[in-house]
Amino acid sequence: MPLGDPPNYSTPGTIRLALVSLLGSMTHFTLGALEYGRVGPFVGLWQMVLAGFLLVFGVLTTIRYLEARDAMDDPNPRTPMYDTPHEWWTYRVGLALHALGVLLCLYWLLNSELPVFYGAALSVNGAGVWLASGLRPRPGDHP
């Protein structure tokens, strides 16, 4: 990324990914709580674990977005915000979490008594996969 371009974290797509991750966290936690008593504790527990990871990812991505927006207006920047390794990995982690959510939803869409809810969660995770794959810095951008 050439010097002078805004950092990837400052784009509207990043805040969209963060919000979709937070929404995905809420849907998976709700589905995990519903499945916990019906199908078994381990099924619900794994849904809630995925929800926890999505929640942490969404909150951290929101913080990084706000920091990047703030740093763009800083007259005396202290650290460079370009081509950092964590920026490259952030989108890959988001892609992996949402892809795991898609696979989990596809399985439960066919094997659960809540297909409408899993269909909604599938669409949320599908949007997360789409956003994370489009925002990811390209291979030449990694230091």
Side-chain angles (χ1 to χ4, degrees):
M1 170 181 326
L3 197 61
D5 286 348
N8 282 334
Y9 286 148
S10 68
T11 62
T14 300
I15 193 66
R16 285 187 204 117
L17 177 61
L19 293 175
V20 164
S21 297
L22 293 172
L23 181 62
S25 171
M26 287 185 279
T27 58
H28 281 286
F29 186 81
T30 303
L31 288 170
L34 291 173
E35 297 287 4
Y36 190 84
R38 271 197 345 209
V39 179
F42 291 115
V43 173
L45 183 64
W46 285 112
Q47 286 275 66
M48 289 188 238
V49 167
L50 176 62
F53 282 129
L54 283 170
L55 177 68
V56 169
F57 177 78
V59 168
L60 290 178
T61 305
T62 301
I63 290 169
R64 287 182 175 158
Y65 170 79
L66 294 172
E67 286 177 343
R69 295 299 299 176
D70 182 55
M72 289 174 63
D73 298 328
D74 191 356
N76 300 312
R78 291 170 289 287
T79 57
M81 299 224 24
Y82 302 94
D83 287 337
T84 56
H86 68 81
E87 184 177 30
W88 187 76
W89 277 104
T90 296
Y91 298 107
R92 290 188 183 245
V93 168
L95 183 65
L97 286 173
H98 283 286
L100 181 62
V102 164
L103 293 174
L104 193 62
C105 286
L106 282 174
Y107 175 78
W108 284 109
L109 186 66
L110 302 173
N111 298 316
S112 177
E113 296 174 4
L114 305 168
V116 174
F117 296 112
Y118 279 105
L122 177 67
S123 65
V124 169
N125 286 126
V129 166
W130 181 72
L131 283 169
S133 64
L135 292 172
R136 190 168 52 94
R138 303 298 167 234
D141 293 341
H142 183 45

